[in-house]
Amino acid sequence: MKKVSILTLSLIMLAGIARAEDSVALQNVNSKIEAVQNSCSGIKSNLNTIFGLSVTTTVSSGLGTITSGGALAVGIAKAKTDKNIENNYKKIETMNYNEMVEELTKLKTEISEDTKKSKTLGNVRTGLMAGATATSAVSTGTSLGATLTATKLAEKMMQCNADLQALKLAKSELEAEGETNEKADKILSVCTGYDEANIKSLKSLATANTIVSGIGTATAGAGTITSAMANSKKVRAGDKKKEKSLNLASNILAGVTMGTSATSTTLSAVQISKAKKDSDKYSKKYEEYSDDLSKNVAESKIKAL
């Protein structure tokens, strides 16, 4: 009887050990599932955030292109007007008495009208450059936001891929024990991992856009100040060479700003296309399970409280 009892007890202990081993493998799978739920949920929403920021950047940089282009056009018109004023003053200086009597009143009227026109054009250019500064600043901010989101998203994707790989390994160990886990099977059949190269490309675009928009903000700001200085009473009534130099510098800065804004618009358009494609692709691939993942993450946090 004692021998039978010892044998029975041994078998029970062995079965218990087997169950314990199975339990460890199952617990490992469950912990890996929870890790996947935390790291792989919310990726599509982050892509949508980048998409939204890119749209805002496109709109603001597009407006920046228009305003800075308008400032350049107005600046060129102002330069032509200033040239007319300069030429009329030269005519007065070279006139003889008889010509002066006949033409002086006419030339003075033209100079007065052109001076008012030049002043108005200068003010318009300054206002447009100020607008370009504001739009470039918005583009810089939204591009920076897209860069930061893409950086975090890249880290999240890498972690998601690592957690999926860990779950795959844990599932293999569980199956080696003769058990299966339906939830793990479904996750691995739906979530096969993210292409990290895509998000890195998106991040590079956003970073380039931030740099370009930042340059645009700087040149637009400098152009605004230069234009205001060129159109000030002190400069207009003083050194004409200085006024001419400041006007030229302001026009050049307007042209550079227009170029940076146009480049930012192009980069943003590429970002929009890429973010939309990635979002749609991941939506089709993971949307079926993303709601479950998000729900499970929320439930886990509630339980933790």
Side-chain angles (χ1 to χ4, degrees):
M1 289 290 293
K2 286 184 179 181
K3 288 182 179 180
V4 173
S5 298
I6 291 171
L7 181 60
T8 303
L9 183 61
S10 297
L11 290 171
I12 291 171
M13 289 177 65
L14 287 171
I17 292 170
R19 281 195 298 273
E21 287 176 349
D22 287 346
S23 179
V24 169
L26 185 58
Q27 285 177 13
N28 188 33
V29 167
N30 287 333
S31 69
K32 296 298 184 289
I33 288 173
E34 187 175 349
V36 168
Q37 289 170 346
N38 281 299
S39 63
C40 297
S41 61
I43 287 177
K44 183 177 181 295
S45 64
N46 283 334
L47 278 168
N48 289 341
T49 298
I50 295 173
F51 174 80
L53 289 168
S54 299
V55 169
T56 304
T57 303
T58 303
V59 173
S60 59
S61 59
L63 289 172
T65 304
I66 293 170
T67 52
S68 56
L72 178 58
V74 170
I76 291 171
K78 183 183 185 303
K80 288 181 179 178
T81 303
D82 290 342
K83 187 66 177 177
N84 288 337
I85 295 171
E86 184 183 342
N87 289 337
N88 282 334
Y89 272 121
K90 285 180 179 179
K91 284 181 182 178
I92 291 174
E93 290 173 0
T94 57
M95 278 180 179
N96 58 43
Y97 180 77
N98 291 330
E99 289 176 327
M100 193 174 289
V101 170
E102 294 176 5
E103 295 291 328
L104 186 58
T105 302
K106 179 183 175 183
L107 289 173
K108 280 187 174 180
T109 301
E110 285 184 13
I111 289 170
S112 177
E113 290 175 353
D114 283 343
T115 300
K116 289 179 182 178
K117 181 181 178 182
S118 175
K119 179 74 174 175
T120 300
L121 289 170
N123 287 334
V124 171
R125 180 183 61 190
T126 302
L128 288 169
M129 287 304 292
T133 304
T135 55
S136 292
V138 171
S139 296
T140 303
T142 52
S143 295
L144 181 59
T147 301
L148 294 173
T149 303
T151 300
K152 291 179 181 177
L153 186 53
E155 293 171 357
K156 192 174 180 65
M157 283 184 173
M158 288 173 68
Q159 187 60 52
C160 174
N161 287 345
D163 289 338
L164 284 169
Q165 195 61 33
L167 176 59
K168 189 175 181 180
L169 180 60
K171 176 177 169 289
S172 298
E173 291 173 352
L174 181 65
E175 289 173 346
E177 298 293 336
E179 292 188 60
T180 58
N181 186 289
E182 186 179 343
K183 195 171 186 180
D185 289 339
K186 184 171 182 181
I187 288 175
L188 291 172
S189 67
V190 175
C191 306
T192 55
Y194 288 93
D195 186 353
E196 295 169 24
N198 280 351
I199 189 61
K200 287 177 181 176
S201 174
L202 199 55
K203 178 187 171 184
S204 296
L205 283 168
T207 301
N209 209 342
T210 303
I211 294 170
V212 169
S213 297
I215 293 171
T217 303
T219 55
T224 303
I225 295 169
T226 305
S227 180
M229 287 175 62
N231 215 37
S232 65
K233 288 182 180 179
K234 184 178 179 180
V235 172
R236 290 181 69 88
D239 189 348
K240 290 298 177 183
K241 286 185 178 179
K242 182 179 180 180
E243 181 187 0
K244 193 172 182 179
S245 296
L246 287 170
N247 279 322
L248 179 61
S250 183
N251 288 346
I252 290 171
L253 288 167
V256 173
T257 303
M258 182 176 69
T260 57
S261 295
T263 302
S264 176
T265 303
T266 302
L267 289 171
S268 298
V270 177
Q271 278 178 235
I272 289 172
S273 176
K274 188 163 185 55
K276 185 70 170 64
K277 284 179 181 177
D278 287 352
S279 181
D280 288 345
K281 180 173 69 175
Y282 293 139
S283 173
K284 290 173 183 176
K285 199 170 185 182
Y286 301 103
E287 195 166 10
E288 178 188 348
Y289 205 63
S290 62
D291 291 339
D292 290 338
L293 288 176
S294 299
K295 182 180 178 182
N296 288 329
V297 171
E299 288 176 352
S300 297
K301 289 181 178 178
I302 292 170
K303 288 177 181 178
L305 296 174

